[in-house]
Amino acid sequence: MMKLMRAPNVVIGQHWINVLAAAGIACELHNRYLSGAIGEIPADQCAPELWLVDERDEALARELIDAVNCSKRSSPCAGIAERRAIRWTGETAG
């Protein structure tokens, strides 16, 4: 297991987990309930964290999360859909 990143809050962290799970990437959301301990534990240690079961999924996981974050902007993230198609079908685009 490896820590991928911290989420700004539990809702976004769970959304990222759902995106990765839909792509077949096994992951877990840690520190889901630690926000109630802020004050007893330093706030920077209470943020939700995404952990990957398999370190080999790191590059694709980061791309997928970046793609989700880019979809909120006006310009699309070029190439993400093609890379995902390769992963899911095993075929090259083009």
Side-chain angles (χ1 to χ4, degrees), residues 11 14 18 21 24-25 28 30-31 33 40 44-45 56-58 60-62 67 70-71 73 76 86 90 93-94:
V11 174
Q14 186 60 53
N18 294 342
I25 297 174
E28 298 176 359
H30 291 198
N31 299 348
Y33 305 110
E40 298 294 324
D44 65 334
Q45 295 178 15
R56 296 173 292 182
D57 291 327
E58 179 183 7
L60 182 58
R62 289 187 188 280
C70 284
S71 68
R73 300 183 195 133
I86 292 168

Side-chain angles (χ1 to χ4, degrees), residues 3 5 7-8 10 16-17 21 23 26-27 42-44 56 58-59 64 67 74 77-78 83 88 91-92:
K3 183 169 87 171
M5 63 181 56
V10 174
W16 291 346
I17 291 289
C27 51
D44 65 334
R56 296 173 292 182
E58 179 183 7
L64 291 171
S74 59
C77 296
R83 287 192 287 277
W88 289 330
E91 299 175 12
T92 57

